[in-house]
Amino acid sequence: MKRWLRMCLETQVSLPLFTVVLLAVVWATTLHFIDSEAAASRDMTAESASELIATYEAQVARSINGIEQTLKVLKYSAERLGARGALPELQANGLLPSGLVFVVSIVDAQGDTVASNPAARPINVARQDYFRFHQQNRSSYTFISQAMRDEANDDWHLHFTRRLDDKHGEFAGVVVVEVEPAYFTSGYERSRLGEQGMLGLVGDDGVVRALRLGDKQSFGQRVDLAALRSHSGTPVASSWDGVRRYTEVRQLGGLRLSAMVGLSEQEQTAGFAAQRRQLLWEAGVASAVLIILAALVWAWVWQGAKARRRVRRAQETYAAASESNMDAFFVLRALRNKDGVVVDFKFSAINSRAEQLTGHSRSELRAQTLCSWMPAARHNGMFEQLVGVTLHGGVHQEEGPNLVPQLRAEWLHWQVVGVEGGVVAIVRDITERKRAEERIYHMAHHDTLTGLPNRSLICDRLEQSLAHAERNKESVLVAFIDLDSFKLVNDTLGHNAGDELLKEVASRMVGCVRREDTVGRFGGDEFVLVLPHVNDNPQVLAPLLNKILESVVQPIVLEGQKMQVSCSIGVAVYPRDGRDTDTLMMHADAAMYRAKESGKNNCQFYTSEMNAGLEEKLALTEGLRKALEEQQLFLAYQPKIDLHSGSMFGVEALLRWQHPQRGLVSPAQFIPLAEENGLIIQIGEWVLREACRQARAWQDAGLPPLSVSVNVSARQFDDPRLVERVAAALAASGLDACWLELELTETMVMRNVQQSIAKMRELEAMGIALSIDDFGTGYSSLAALKSFPISRLKIDQSFVRDLCGSADDQAITCAIISLSHQLDMKVIAEGVETEQQRRFLHANGCDEVQGYLFSCPVPASEIAEMLEPVQ
């Protein structure tokens, strides 16, 4: 509060305040005078309107009284002398009004005009409001109509009428006096009403009988009389021209008419408006003069205060900035000897952060010099740097590990700025930033799951190893390691178990290699080894690689289950197999795939022949992408035979690829490629549509209906749109769902039993038959098997092949047949090629067979030929 009071007493503050007060007084006085004059002008205008309405009311009353007298004379004469004799008598006695202003007429009981003055064409007025009013009402009331014109008179007139009675008091007609509406507004005086004034007559029905606005005459408008009377003395905007007027309304005695007078607000207050502009101009000039004088005085005062305030603000800013800053501020004043040489520095000022960093208070530091508090400063170069900045100015800064035990930090950033008589040292603790940078660097170059170097760091270390090997004429081994059956762990135990497996395998690999070797995770279940400092014989590291194979294959307990995985290793050697990172990586990857193809759980060194295999694989993959577009794929159909009747009841659709250069490509070559590259979804949908179309085509050709079986791949089965695609294929072909069978592998449906059952239920609900293909090669549980909505089990051909010579295969086959029948399923054996196999299967209750004994897969056209003898 005292601070604000002190500020107000300063001249540079009080002068503007005083000026503002004077301006407020000037304008308050001016505006008050203007308001008083405005009120007086309004009162005067309202008073003028009251005077005018009184005058206008008297004028209108006299005019209407004259008209009523004429009506009475006409009525008396017409009732005494008759309609035709009244006007001549009145004319002879000079009792008729001037024909230039008034039109007098007498109408009989039928509405016909009997006589008029001036003479006019006789007309019938029986339909007019005034005639019907008098015809229906016995009264001596003078009816005043709205402005109207008729066939006898093209000009607009107001009709004043009275009733005529015969000697029996019955209706005998009316007498009429017509007068132009302008007759009642002819007394308009511009000197009093102005150019936008108003005179008018309004009926009680709210319809204007006569109206004059300046030079304009009109009639027929509607007016809200109650609203005008309620706003007496205040300006109201007129509905017909929008001009605001002070309006007064008076009811005329004994008549259903009101007189109306209006004065334009703009015209009546024109004098006041000019006076108001003059007053505002004078107040504005006075204010400008006052402001200019006050500004000149204030500018002179302000110059003196500004210098003082600048010094005070700088002091306050420094104090606030230094206290709130996270940096430590040390203001050091140079101490000189008698020769002017700087011999030490005195602590002049420090902030709170400096107290925290040093562990000493301000008073303790001010009582010491720099060198007495930090003796090492004279030997570590700090004192010389401070002296150099003091003498030569400028800014010196550096950052690094803290070498000063008196400061509590691991990393420091120094900035020394020269000032008059010394320096300001700004010290920042950057320990947390350095730790964060280390964490970010580690995260950017290491795998978050295993903590091993990631792809970026692996490549960086490999490049360093290659550069070192080139200088020292050494070799470097690059090993690509891929876990075998890792996907099975993820699918059966979940991703958490898979993560635990990856961490355990990574730990085992690290335990097998040398300190200078690098073990990194390349992504997914792929790892990379960089083994530098190898002599001319890379096979010396074969024991290390075998140690890794043996270590990885050791059992591990995951989610309470003992699991065992192996790995496949591919090795490329620098400089024999490549001289750059990309080439070595590519060749090690190719060697790893060769290890996979060689039965997994082994190590393969790269050879040039492996590239040919990769090129072959790439060429097949690219050709497969074009196969669908260029119609290189087609279906062959292998019959299925009922063992009991010997008849063909269905076929299995088998995919074939007729390559334009390679000829017929084996499905064993291209189907795994399609699975690997995701093309199997698109190809599988085509197979499904083509098989359904062909089955329907056979039926349309009049052949007996055949069930067509279509194999579903693992990727197809996992596709969320599988059911939708099957329904679309059936709809497009028009095939009934009961003639379509989908063959699912045992391993596929066991990966996620609940999800598999739900999807199979949807297919079953459509009427589609389901079968388990290659049964006996997987690991189905009986509990899961009985839950599957399947109608057929297919015995894998690996059991059928040695059926006649292997007691084990015979036992397994008999067990599958028995199990199928117990579960109310049919059983079919595939790969039947000999009569002995057929007899064994028939003797042991197998329901159906397929194989080369009956027919190899054939084109669709041959199936039709086979059906004839079967029928």
Side-chain angles (χ1 to χ4, degrees):
M1 186 64 184
K2 291 181 179 179
R3 180 171 176 269
W4 284 103
L5 182 60
R6 185 171 62 253
M7 286 181 59
C8 292
L9 292 176
E10 293 182 2
T11 306
Q12 67 269 22
V13 176
S14 60
L15 181 61
L17 291 176
F18 180 70
T19 303
V20 170
V21 171
L22 285 179
L23 289 173
V25 170
V26 170
W27 281 100
T29 303
T30 301
L31 295 176
H32 176 71
F33 185 76
I34 289 173
D35 289 341
S36 299
E37 290 298 310
S41 177
R42 288 193 297 270
D43 293 343
M44 184 180 299
T45 303
E47 185 178 348
S48 297
S50 297
E51 292 176 357
L52 286 171
I53 191 61
T55 303
Y56 184 54
E57 178 189 12
Q59 292 175 355
V60 172
R62 285 195 299 270
S63 298
I64 293 178
N65 285 337
I67 293 172
E68 285 198 314
Q69 288 300 323
T70 302
L71 286 172
K72 289 176 182 180
V73 171
L74 283 173
K75 174 179 173 63
Y76 173 76
S77 181
E79 289 177 346
R80 184 173 61 83
L81 301 174
R84 297 184 183 279
L87 289 185
E89 181 185 8
L90 294 175
Q91 181 71 34
N93 295 320
L95 296 177
L96 289 179
S98 171
L100 296 175
V101 179
F102 299 95
V103 177
V104 178
S105 58
I106 300 175
V107 179
D108 63 15
Q110 285 73 40
D112 294 323
T113 304
V114 178
S116 63
N117 181 52
R121 182 164 64 90
I123 61 173
N124 187 280
V125 297
R127 294 179 178 273
Q128 299 296 340
D129 290 341
Y130 61 82
F131 182 84
R132 287 185 291 179
F133 174 80
H134 293 300
Q135 188 181 38
Q136 297 169 5
N137 296 279
R138 292 177 178 269
S139 71
S140 59
Y141 172 74
T142 300
F143 184 88
I144 306 172
S145 70
Q146 299 179 19
M148 57 181 289
R149 57 185 179 180
D150 50 36
E151 297 173 359
N153 193 345
D154 290 337
D155 295 329
W156 291 91
H157 285 77
L158 296 176
H159 291 63
F160 290 78
T161 61
R162 275 183 176 266
R163 175 185 170 111
L164 292 177
D165 295 318
D166 60 12
K167 61 183 178 179
H168 301 294
E170 296 299 327
F171 177 69
V174 295
V175 291
V176 182
V177 174
E178 301 177 36
V179 64
E180 292 183 1
Y183 173 75
F184 294 101
T185 58
S186 60
Y188 188 93
E189 298 180 29
R190 282 187 175 79
S191 60
R192 301 185 67 186
L193 291 168
E195 296 297 331
Q196 294 181 334
M198 178 184 68
L199 284 181
L201 283 180
V202 184
D204 287 356
D205 55 2
V207 178
V208 174
R209 301 306 198 261
L211 182 68
R212 179 168 178 176
L213 302 172
D215 291 334
K216 296 179 181 179
Q217 299 280 351
S218 61
F219 45 80
Q221 298 93 332
R222 287 202 166 271
V223 177
D224 188 350
L225 291 174
L228 290 177
R229 290 190 177 98
S230 65
H231 289 88
S232 177
T234 58
V236 178
S238 300
S239 59
W240 42 80
D241 62 359
V243 176
R244 290 173 57 85
R245 293 182 177 89
Y246 288 83
T247 306
E248 294 291 338
V249 179
R250 292 279 183 88
Q251 178 77 37
L252 297 176
L255 297 172
R256 295 181 181 178
L257 280 179
S258 295
M260 183 169 59
V261 171
L263 295 176
S264 168
E265 180 186 27
Q266 181 181 359
E267 290 181 341
Q268 297 300 316
T269 59
F272 162 73
Q275 184 183 17
R276 178 177 178 274
R277 286 193 296 272
Q278 180 64 29
L279 289 172
L280 291 174
W281 167 254
E282 292 173 356
V285 171
S287 299
V289 171
L290 179 60
I291 290 172
I292 292 171
L293 292 176
L296 293 174
V297 175
W298 182 84
W300 177 71
V301 173
W302 176 252
Q303 292 300 324
K306 189 161 61 172
R308 295 190 300 271
R309 187 167 61 253
R310 188 184 300 116
V311 174
R312 185 171 64 249
R313 183 178 298 169
Q315 294 172 343
E316 292 174 352
T317 301
Y318 168 76
S322 63
E323 287 303 316
S324 62
N325 204 293
M326 295 302 294
D327 297 336
F329 282 77
F330 298 89
V331 180
L332 302 176
R333 180 169 52 85
L335 299 178
R336 301 172 184 266
N337 59 15
K338 61 181 180 179
D339 298 325
V341 178
V342 177
V343 294
D344 207 342
F345 289 90
K346 182 76 172 177
F347 289 99
S348 177
I350 61 173
N351 65 351
S352 300
R353 183 60 181 158
E355 290 182 306
Q356 298 173 10
L357 191 63
T358 61
H360 292 278
S361 65
R362 287 180 173 87
S363 58
E364 290 174 341
L365 288 174
R366 287 173 182 164
Q368 304 181 64
T369 63
L370 175 67
C371 294
S372 64
W373 176 63
M374 190 188 301
R378 292 192 182 275
H379 311 292
N380 60 16
M382 181 186 295
F383 181 75
E384 286 75 10
Q385 291 174 353
L386 295 177
V387 171
V389 174
T390 301
L391 298 177
H392 306 293
V395 178
H396 173 79
Q397 60 181 351
E398 63 180 52
E399 69 176 42
N402 178 25
L403 303 178
V404 180
Q406 287 83 357
L407 299 178
R408 301 175 178 179
E410 295 179 15
W411 288 80
L412 291 175
H413 177 274
W414 293 80
Q415 186 176 32
V416 182
V417 182
V419 295
E420 184 178 355
V423 295
V424 174
I426 304 169
V427 184
R428 179 179 299 172
D429 182 357
I430 58 171
T431 304
E432 288 302 320
R433 193 194 80 190
K434 285 294 184 181
R435 290 175 180 172
E437 289 175 355
E438 291 174 0
R439 288 194 297 270
I440 293 172
Y441 180 83
H442 186 273
M443 291 171 62
H445 293 85
H446 290 78
D447 176 50
T448 55
L449 178 64
T450 62
L452 297 178
N454 61 11
R455 181 178 304 195
S456 172
L457 187 55
I458 291 170
C459 294
D460 182 59
R461 290 189 179 178
L462 178 56
E463 289 179 357
Q464 294 179 19
S465 298
L466 295 181
H468 186 274
E470 185 178 6
R471 289 194 301 269
N472 296 284
K473 307 301 180 183
E474 296 177 342
S475 296
V476 178
L477 263 68
V478 180
F480 238 80
I481 304 175
D482 186 87
L483 299 185
D484 304 323
S485 305
F486 176 72
K487 189 174 186 301
L488 181 63
V489 175
N490 265 349
D491 291 341
T492 54
L493 299 180
H495 290 283
N496 290 336
D499 291 345
E500 289 299 321
L501 175 62
L502 290 174
K503 289 192 284 188
E504 176 62 25
V505 168
S507 176
R508 292 179 182 182
M509 290 182 185
V510 171
C512 294
V513 300
R514 304 168 299 175
R515 178 175 297 179
E516 64 268 23
D517 298 335
T518 296
V519 180
R521 184 184 177 198
F522 205 67
D525 60 342
E526 293 181 333
F527 295 84
V528 173
L529 300 183
V530 178
L531 309 176
H533 310 305
V534 181
N535 57 24
D536 293 338
N537 182 16
Q539 293 294 333
V540 297
L541 291 182
L544 185 150
L545 299 173
N546 288 328
K547 184 179 178 182
I548 291 175
L549 288 171
E550 294 172 0
S551 175
V552 171
V553 82
Q554 295 300 316
I556 178 174
V557 177
L558 298 171
E559 302 290 335
Q561 297 188 36
K562 183 178 290 187
M563 299 293 294
Q564 191 172 18
V565 295
S566 59
C567 64
S568 300
I569 305 177
V571 181
V573 181
Y574 168 86
R576 185 188 70 190
D577 301 328
R579 306 188 66 87
D580 61 84
T581 299
D582 292 339
T583 303
L584 288 170
M585 287 285 196
M586 181 177 66
H587 289 168
D589 191 37
M592 185 270 292
Y593 274 104
R594 176 59 60 86
K596 291 274 189 186
E597 295 169 356
S598 301
K600 305 179 181 179
N601 194 29
N602 67 93
C603 176
Q604 294 286 332
F605 280 76
Y606 172 78
T607 61
S608 58
E609 292 79 8
M610 293 179 182
N611 265 348
L614 279 177
E615 292 172 1
E616 173 75 8
K617 185 176 179 181
L618 290 173
L620 278 178
T621 302
E622 185 61 28
L624 191 58
R625 296 183 190 277
K626 299 178 180 178
L628 264 178
E629 301 173 4
E630 300 178 359
Q631 298 181 347
Q632 299 172 15
L633 300 179
F634 67 94
L635 293 183
Y637 299 90
Q638 186 173 38
K640 294 182 177 181
I641 307 299
D642 188 311
L643 267 180
H644 301 293
S645 65
S647 63
M648 183 184 1
F649 67 91
V651 294
E652 180 180 2
L654 299 171
L655 181 63
R656 296 293 183 263
W657 180 12
Q658 184 68 38
H659 194 281
Q661 287 82 35
R662 300 170 183 267
L664 196 64
V665 182
S666 169
Q669 283 185 278
F670 72 83
I671 288 182
L673 281 179
E675 286 272 8
E676 182 180 335
N677 293 282
L679 295 173
I680 196 66
I681 299 291
Q682 186 179 2
I683 294 174
E685 184 174 8
W686 176 85
V687 170
L688 190 63
R689 287 178 175 270
E690 178 62 18
C692 291
R693 185 201 63 77
Q694 184 60 61
R696 180 64 186 185
W698 285 328
Q699 293 180 14
D700 293 342
L703 299 175
L706 288 177
S707 170
V708 61
S709 299
V710 177
N711 291 286
V712 176
S713 71
R715 283 209 176 189
Q716 278 182 281
F717 191 73
D718 291 337
D719 182 11
R721 296 182 57 200
L722 173 64
V723 177
E724 179 185 337
R725 295 180 193 275
V726 173
L730 290 172
S733 64
L735 182 68
D736 193 289
C738 67
W739 301 111
L740 176 64
E741 181 181 67
L742 299 181
E743 295 191 7
L744 315 173
T745 64
E746 189 177 6
T747 304
M748 177 199 311
V749 297
M750 289 302 299
R751 288 183 304 171
N752 188 328
V753 175
Q754 295 303 320
Q755 183 177 336
S756 298
I757 291 176
K759 189 168 291 188
M760 292 165 74
R761 293 287 184 197
E762 289 187 65
L763 294 168
E764 182 193 33
M766 295 169 60
I768 297 170
L770 301 173
S771 67
I772 297 295
D773 193 11
D774 301 335
F775 188 76
T777 61
Y779 52 93
S780 301
S781 67
L782 291 179
L785 189 61
K786 70 180 183 180
S787 302
F788 292 148
I790 55 178
S791 57
R792 184 176 280 107
L793 289 181
K794 179 179 279 191
I795 302 174
D796 187 69
Q797 60 183 344
S798 62
F799 300 121
V800 176
R801 186 180 302 115
D802 298 325
L803 196 58
C804 298
S806 171
D808 291 338
D809 288 345
Q810 291 176 1
I812 291 172
T813 302
C814 291
I816 293 174
I817 294 171
S818 175
L819 174 64
S820 300
H821 291 162
Q822 290 294 326
L823 295 175
D824 196 23
M825 302 177 191
K826 289 190 176 183
V827 61
I828 182 172
E830 65 176 346
V832 178
E833 299 180 353
T834 66
E835 180 63 27
Q836 292 85 350
Q837 293 170 345
R838 186 197 68 78
R839 284 199 299 269
F840 179 87
L841 292 169
H842 184 270
N844 287 276
C846 184
D847 302 301
E848 302 155 354
V849 292
Q850 70 180 92
Y852 276 55
L853 177 63
F854 306 98
S855 173
C856 62
V858 297
S861 58
E862 295 187 23
I863 295 296
E865 298 174 4
M866 292 180 184
L867 285 174
E868 295 299 330
V870 173
Q871 292 178 342

PDB file of all heavy atoms in Angstrom, residues 837-848:
ATOM      1  N   GLN A 837      -3.819-101.467 -50.223  1.00  0.00           N
ATOM      2  CA  GLN A 837      -4.236-100.361 -49.335  1.00  0.00           C
ATOM      3  C   GLN A 837      -5.760-100.236 -49.332  1.00  0.00           C
ATOM      4  O   GLN A 837      -6.378-100.048 -48.279  1.00  0.00           O
ATOM      5  CB  GLN A 837      -3.598 -99.047 -49.805  1.00  0.00           C
ATOM      6  CG  GLN A 837      -2.089 -99.003 -49.643  1.00  0.00           C
ATOM      7  CD  GLN A 837      -1.465 -97.801 -50.347  1.00  0.00           C
ATOM      8  OE1 GLN A 837      -2.118 -97.167 -51.181  1.00  0.00           O
ATOM      9  NE2 GLN A 837      -0.189 -97.529 -50.042  1.00  0.00           N
ATOM     10  N   ARG A 838      -6.387-100.344 -50.514  1.00  0.00           N
ATOM     11  CA  ARG A 838      -7.849-100.206 -50.583  1.00  0.00           C
ATOM     12  C   ARG A 838      -8.528-101.303 -49.781  1.00  0.00           C
ATOM     13  O   ARG A 838      -9.488-101.051 -49.041  1.00  0.00           O
ATOM     14  CB  ARG A 838      -8.300-100.257 -52.043  1.00  0.00           C
ATOM     15  CG  ARG A 838      -9.801 -99.967 -52.213  1.00  0.00           C
ATOM     16  CD  ARG A 838     -10.304-100.422 -53.555  1.00  0.00           C
ATOM     17  NE  ARG A 838     -10.297-101.873 -53.672  1.00  0.00           N
ATOM     18  CZ  ARG A 838     -11.225-102.674 -53.128  1.00  0.00           C
ATOM     19  NH1 ARG A 838     -12.228-102.176 -52.433  1.00  0.00           N
ATOM     20  NH2 ARG A 838     -11.143-103.999 -53.277  1.00  0.00           N
ATOM     21  N   ARG A 839      -8.015-102.586 -49.947  1.00  0.00           N
ATOM     22  CA  ARG A 839      -8.663-103.694 -49.241  1.00  0.00           C
ATOM     23  C   ARG A 839      -8.527-103.538 -47.735  1.00  0.00           C
ATOM     24  O   ARG A 839      -9.462-103.796 -46.976  1.00  0.00           O
ATOM     25  CB  ARG A 839      -8.046-105.022 -49.700  1.00  0.00           C
ATOM     26  CG  ARG A 839      -8.522-105.459 -51.082  1.00  0.00           C
ATOM     27  CD  ARG A 839      -8.270-106.950 -51.278  1.00  0.00           C
ATOM     28  NE  ARG A 839      -6.838-107.272 -51.192  1.00  0.00           N
ATOM     29  CZ  ARG A 839      -6.023-107.290 -52.243  1.00  0.00           C
ATOM     30  NH1 ARG A 839      -6.494-107.009 -53.452  1.00  0.00           N
ATOM     31  NH2 ARG A 839      -4.759-107.604 -52.086  1.00  0.00           N
ATOM     32  N   PHE A 840      -7.343-103.117 -47.264  1.00  0.00           N
ATOM     33  CA  PHE A 840      -7.156-102.938 -45.820  1.00  0.00           C
ATOM     34  C   PHE A 840      -8.118-101.883 -45.283  1.00  0.00           C
ATOM     35  O   PHE A 840      -8.766-102.072 -44.243  1.00  0.00           O
ATOM     36  CB  PHE A 840      -5.714-102.527 -45.529  1.00  0.00           C
ATOM     37  CG  PHE A 840      -5.450-102.290 -44.057  1.00  0.00           C
ATOM     38  CD1 PHE A 840      -5.092-103.342 -43.225  1.00  0.00           C
ATOM     39  CD2 PHE A 840      -5.583-101.009 -43.504  1.00  0.00           C
ATOM     40  CE1 PHE A 840      -4.852-103.116 -41.868  1.00  0.00           C
ATOM     41  CE2 PHE A 840      -5.358-100.792 -42.167  1.00  0.00           C
ATOM     42  CZ  PHE A 840      -4.986-101.846 -41.342  1.00  0.00           C
ATOM     43  N   LEU A 841      -8.231-100.753 -45.985  1.00  0.00           N
ATOM     44  CA  LEU A 841      -9.106 -99.677 -45.521  1.00  0.00           C
ATOM     45  C   LEU A 841     -10.561-100.116 -45.543  1.00  0.00           C
ATOM     46  O   LEU A 841     -11.333 -99.816 -44.622  1.00  0.00           O
ATOM     47  CB  LEU A 841      -8.916 -98.442 -46.417  1.00  0.00           C
ATOM     48  CG  LEU A 841      -7.555 -97.747 -46.296  1.00  0.00           C
ATOM     49  CD1 LEU A 841      -7.382 -96.725 -47.416  1.00  0.00           C
ATOM     50  CD2 LEU A 841      -7.424 -97.057 -44.932  1.00  0.00           C
ATOM     51  N   HIS A 842     -10.955-100.863 -46.576  1.00  0.00           N
ATOM     52  CA  HIS A 842     -12.335-101.330 -46.656  1.00  0.00           C
ATOM     53  C   HIS A 842     -12.632-102.315 -45.540  1.00  0.00           C
ATOM     54  O   HIS A 842     -13.709-102.276 -44.895  1.00  0.00           O
ATOM     55  CB  HIS A 842     -12.577-101.968 -48.028  1.00  0.00           C
ATOM     56  CG  HIS A 842     -14.006-102.394 -48.239  1.00  0.00           C
ATOM     57  ND1 HIS A 842     -14.454-103.663 -47.885  1.00  0.00           N
ATOM     58  CD2 HIS A 842     -15.076-101.725 -48.746  1.00  0.00           C
ATOM     59  CE1 HIS A 842     -15.744-103.743 -48.162  1.00  0.00           C
ATOM     60  NE2 HIS A 842     -16.143-102.580 -48.695  1.00  0.00           N
ATOM     61  N   ALA A 843     -11.650-103.226 -45.272  1.00  0.00           N
ATOM     62  CA  ALA A 843     -11.861-104.244 -44.244  1.00  0.00           C
ATOM     63  C   ALA A 843     -11.955-103.635 -42.852  1.00  0.00           C
ATOM     64  O   ALA A 843     -12.622-104.180 -41.960  1.00  0.00           O
ATOM     65  CB  ALA A 843     -10.724-105.271 -44.305  1.00  0.00           C
ATOM     66  N   ASN A 844     -11.328-102.455 -42.635  1.00  0.00           N
ATOM     67  CA  ASN A 844     -11.313-101.852 -41.308  1.00  0.00           C
ATOM     68  C   ASN A 844     -12.316-100.699 -41.170  1.00  0.00           C
ATOM     69  O   ASN A 844     -12.217 -99.903 -40.246  1.00  0.00           O
ATOM     70  CB  ASN A 844      -9.908-101.368 -40.970  1.00  0.00           C
ATOM     71  CG  ASN A 844      -8.964-102.517 -40.662  1.00  0.00           C
ATOM     72  OD1 ASN A 844      -8.923-103.017 -39.531  1.00  0.00           O
ATOM     73  ND2 ASN A 844      -8.206-102.942 -41.670  1.00  0.00           N
ATOM     74  N   GLY A 845     -13.252-100.610 -42.117  1.00  0.00           N
ATOM     75  CA  GLY A 845     -14.386 -99.693 -41.940  1.00  0.00           C
ATOM     76  C   GLY A 845     -14.177 -98.290 -42.443  1.00  0.00           C
ATOM     77  O   GLY A 845     -14.984 -97.390 -42.122  1.00  0.00           O
ATOM     78  N   CYS A 846     -13.109 -98.025 -43.211  1.00  0.00           N
ATOM     79  CA  CYS A 846     -12.921 -96.672 -43.764  1.00  0.00           C
ATOM     80  C   CYS A 846     -14.062 -96.378 -44.740  1.00  0.00           C
ATOM     81  O   CYS A 846     -14.473 -97.249 -45.525  1.00  0.00           O
ATOM     82  CB  CYS A 846     -11.570 -96.582 -44.469  1.00  0.00           C
ATOM     83  SG  CYS A 846     -11.192 -94.930 -45.086  1.00  0.00           S
ATOM     84  N   ASP A 847     -14.600 -95.175 -44.703  1.00  0.00           N
ATOM     85  CA  ASP A 847     -15.780 -94.835 -45.494  1.00  0.00           C
ATOM     86  C   ASP A 847     -15.429 -94.430 -46.923  1.00  0.00           C
ATOM     87  O   ASP A 847     -16.118 -94.829 -47.877  1.00  0.00           O
ATOM     88  CB  ASP A 847     -16.535 -93.677 -44.827  1.00  0.00           C
ATOM     89  CG  ASP A 847     -16.953 -94.028 -43.412  1.00  0.00           C
ATOM     90  OD1 ASP A 847     -17.678 -95.014 -43.245  1.00  0.00           O
ATOM     91  OD2 ASP A 847     -16.551 -93.287 -42.481  1.00  0.00           O
ATOM     92  N   GLU A 848     -14.383 -93.618 -47.074  1.00  0.00           N
ATOM     93  CA  GLU A 848     -14.124 -93.016 -48.377  1.00  0.00           C
ATOM     94  C   GLU A 848     -12.628 -92.982 -48.635  1.00  0.00           C
ATOM     95  O   GLU A 848     -11.826 -92.988 -47.683  1.00  0.00           O
ATOM     96  CB  GLU A 848     -14.677 -91.581 -48.428  1.00  0.00           C
ATOM     97  CG  GLU A 848     -16.163 -91.508 -48.150  1.00  0.00           C
ATOM     98  CD  GLU A 848     -16.584 -90.145 -47.596  1.00  0.00           C
ATOM     99  OE1 GLU A 848     -15.681 -89.321 -47.339  1.00  0.00           O
ATOM    100  OE2 GLU A 848     -17.783 -89.922 -47.406  1.00  0.00           O
TER     101      GLU A 848
END
